[in-house]
Every structure is written in C-alpha cells, then in structure tokens.
Amino acid sequence: MSPRLALHLLGPPKLEIDGSPITADRRKAIALLAYLALNRGRHTRDFLSALLWPDYDQIKAFTNLRHILWEIQKTFGPGWLRVNRETIGLHQDANVWVDVHRFESLLSESQAQSDVSLRIPLLTESVKLYRHHFLAGFNLKNAPTFDEWSLTKADELRHKHTEALTLLAEDYYLLGDAESALHYARR
C-alpha cells in the first residue's frame, strides 16, 4: 500500500505522511503543494513561478521553483509530483487526502439528503474538519497573486462553513433539539 499524504489546509497548514507530521522547511513548498492539491491537473512552470515569485526574472523564478521541487522530493519522498520540462502537477496515482476536498464532498452529500437524520452526521463531520479558516495565519512574502488566491478560497470556504452551521441549527430545530440547534446557531 502506498503512503498517504494528508494536507490539512483548513486552519494553519499541517502536513502528514501516514499520520506522522511532516515539517516543510520552506513556506513556498507548502504553498505549492496546497495550490496543486486544490487545482488538480497540470500547471505550467511559467504560471507557477509567476504565482510564487512574481517579482523575480524568469530565470531566477525557475531556479527557485526547481529548488522547491527538490525540497518537496527530499522532504516527502518521490512519487507525489509529476514534473516535466513544461508542467507540474500532483501525480494522479499519488495517495493524497485534502481536508478541503473532504469538507466539500461532505457538504455535497448532505445537500443530496432530504432526510434530516441522515444529513446531520454529514454536516457534523464537515464542520469538525473546519479547524479554522483556509490557510489561517499563512501567507507568502512578495507573492500577492498566491495570497489573493488563498484569501478568495478562504472566503468561499468560510461561506460554505456558515451554510453548514446554519443547516445544522435548522435541522436540529426541526428534530426538536433546541439545545443542539442553539449550539450551532451560536457558532
């Protein structure tokens, strides 16, 4: 069985391989992994280097990107990224779990449920995943495009979290559990 990389991005970023915490030495490595995890597919080196080093000339930005790729491989081991001369992306067969994906999946599943008693566990699990806002306390120096992307994503997820809490409060109210309804309404 291949190792599992878990990216906890709801709150300050936490990275784990098979449940063991991993510390990346550079914030740009975390930023690159977060971006690739949430924007699956392949991205050009031009785009990623401009995202992370917008003020650098292309040669210096490419050099920095190569160094970050090397650091990711050194820290996490091989097989997580699919890299060629033009593009970079997460390897499609890599066992990567992302809390944001699970959060959004649970919300989608809950919206498909008309039975309140089946919807509540899905919503409860989703709000438990939401430790704090997306990449809380994490930003990059001199990377305004990345910061803008992360703030936009944080706003989108915060809105979804609020909707989940509202639905939980309403569902518990419908079941006659005023105490639980009040708990989620206060949150």
Side-chain angles (χ1 to χ4, degrees):
M1 187 164 99
S2 65
R4 182 178 99 152
L5 173 62
L7 303 175
H8 301 271
L9 305 174
L10 292 169
K14 290 186 344 182
L15 312 174
E16 300 172 341
I17 293 184
D18 290 337
S20 299
I22 300 292
T23 304
D25 293 337
R26 305 252 320 250
R27 295 173 74 79
K28 300 268 176 141
I30 295 169
L32 180 60
L33 283 172
Y35 188 84
L36 293 175
L38 292 182
N39 297 284
R40 292 306 279 253
R42 305 190 49 75
H43 304 276
T44 66
R45 287 175 178 260
D46 286 336
F47 173 78
L48 293 172
S49 61
L51 178 72
L52 300 174
W53 296 278
D55 296 336
Y56 287 55
D57 66 64
Q58 189 178 43
I59 293 170
K60 178 67 173 160
F62 277 15
T63 300
N64 288 346
L65 182 59
R66 276 193 307 277
H67 185 73
I68 290 299
L69 294 171
W70 175 82
E71 281 190 20
I72 290 171
Q73 182 160 339
K74 183 182 110 185
T75 302
F76 298 96
W80 300 108
L81 299 177
R82 190 166 170 209
V83 178
N84 65 34
R85 293 179 60 84
E86 298 295 323
T87 62
I88 299 167
L90 284 180
H91 198 287
Q92 63 188 19
D93 296 330
N95 186 2
V96 179
W97 180 90
V98 184
D99 61 354
V100 173
H101 291 160
R102 181 68 181 147
F103 173 77
E104 292 177 323
S105 174
L106 288 165
L107 292 178
S108 291
E109 289 176 48
S110 72
Q111 290 170 351
Q113 286 295 336
S114 57
D115 184 342
V116 172
S117 63
L118 297 175
R119 185 170 49 228
I120 286 175
L122 297 168
L123 290 169
T124 302
E125 186 180 344
S126 75
V127 298
K128 282 181 184 175
L129 283 172
Y130 198 94
R131 296 177 296 126
H132 204 297
H133 303 308
F134 177 70
L135 294 179
F138 183 88
N139 60 6
L140 294 180
K141 186 176 181 181
N142 300 323
T145 307
F146 175 84
D147 287 339
E148 183 179 317
W149 168 78
S150 68
L151 288 172
T152 301
K153 190 68 179 173
D155 285 343
E156 173 192 323
L157 293 168
R158 188 175 16 253
H159 180 71
K160 289 179 179 183
H161 180 245
T162 301
E163 286 178 356
L165 291 171
T166 302
L167 280 172
L168 274 168
E170 291 171 355
D171 286 352
Y172 275 115
Y173 178 77
L174 288 173
L175 291 177
D177 186 345
E179 187 176 323
S180 295
L182 191 56
H183 166 75
Y184 286 109
R186 284 186 179 138
R187 283 187 62 193

